[in-house]
């Protein structure tokens, strides 16, 4: 239920950085805006992927989490061989985002095959939204 709202909030905060970074930190930090946006998305994907992977640990399969970590770091090893001629901070931020995407996808796709469970929904289900609406209206 938290995935899509977190993505929306992180993108809002990220794109708000175009306005707030120069005000808060000055013009010298404008170069940090793009890495900030990338790393904000990375933090959300990494956090949600880690939350999903805890189900494997709870099911007694911690080795899958370890393998997921190992596989996801293969793109980082590529940087040891070839570093693109771009801004280093943006390349490393993008690589961290790619690693988080890989970990999230691996975790998400392993749910049905390993745990014999359906994939967790990325969007809130209708009954969940109704439950939240009822809770909010009843607490007011």
């Amino acid at each position: 239920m938290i995935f899509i709202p977190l993505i929306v909030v992180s993108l809002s905060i990220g794109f708000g950085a175009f306005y707030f970074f120069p005000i808060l930190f000055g013009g010298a930090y404008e170069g940090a805006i793009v890495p900030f946006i990338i790393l904000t998305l990375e933090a959300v994907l990494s956090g949600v992927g880690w939350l999903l992977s805890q189900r494997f640990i709870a099911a007694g399969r911690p080795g899958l989490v370890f393998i997921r970590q190992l596989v996801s770091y293969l793109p980082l090893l590529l940087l040891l061989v070839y570093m693109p001629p771009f801004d280093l901070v943006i390349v490393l931020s993008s690589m961290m985002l790619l690693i988080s995407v890989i970990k999230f996808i691996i975790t998400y796709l392993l749910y049905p095959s390993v745990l014999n469970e359906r994939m967790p929904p990325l969007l809130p289900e209708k009954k969940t939204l109704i439950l939240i609406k009822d809770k909010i209206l009843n607490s007011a």
Side-chain angles (χ1 to χ4, degrees):
M1 186 175 100
I2 63 172
F3 180 69
I4 298 298
L6 278 176
I7 291 290
V8 170
V9 168
S10 70
L11 285 174
S12 300
I13 290 171
F15 287 115
F18 283 108
Y19 302 105
F20 295 115
F21 264 50
I23 293 169
L24 293 173
F25 304 112
Y29 284 88
E30 285 183 0
I33 295 172
V34 173
F36 177 77
I37 294 170
I38 294 169
L39 290 173
T40 304
L41 283 173
E42 184 273 333
V44 170
L45 281 174
S46 181
V48 171
W50 185 252
L51 283 173
L52 289 174
S53 72
Q54 296 306 300
R55 177 66 182 95
F56 297 121
I57 294 172
R61 306 289 300 267
L64 287 175
V65 178
F66 177 71
I67 291 170
R68 173 192 87 116
Q69 294 290 106
L70 285 179
V71 170
S72 67
Y73 285 108
L74 291 176
L76 194 57
L77 294 175
L78 180 65
L79 286 181
L80 293 175
V81 178
Y82 173 72
M83 177 62 78
F86 303 115
D87 185 8
L88 178 65
V89 176
I90 292 177
V91 169
L92 291 177
S93 301
S94 300
M95 196 58 65
M96 288 180 66
L97 177 60
L98 177 64
I99 289 168
S100 292
V101 168
I102 291 170
K103 287 191 283 192
F104 177 77
I105 290 172
I106 289 171
T107 304
Y108 196 72
L109 293 178
L110 282 176
Y111 258 74
S113 61
V114 173
L115 300 173
N116 295 322
E117 297 176 0
R118 69 181 181 104
M119 292 179 182
L122 296 178
L123 296 172
E125 296 173 337
K126 186 176 180 179
K127 65 180 181 180
T128 306
L129 293 174
I130 292 170
L131 178 70
I132 292 170
K133 183 188 89 169
D134 290 343
K135 292 274 186 189
I136 291 171
L137 291 177
N138 289 336
S139 67

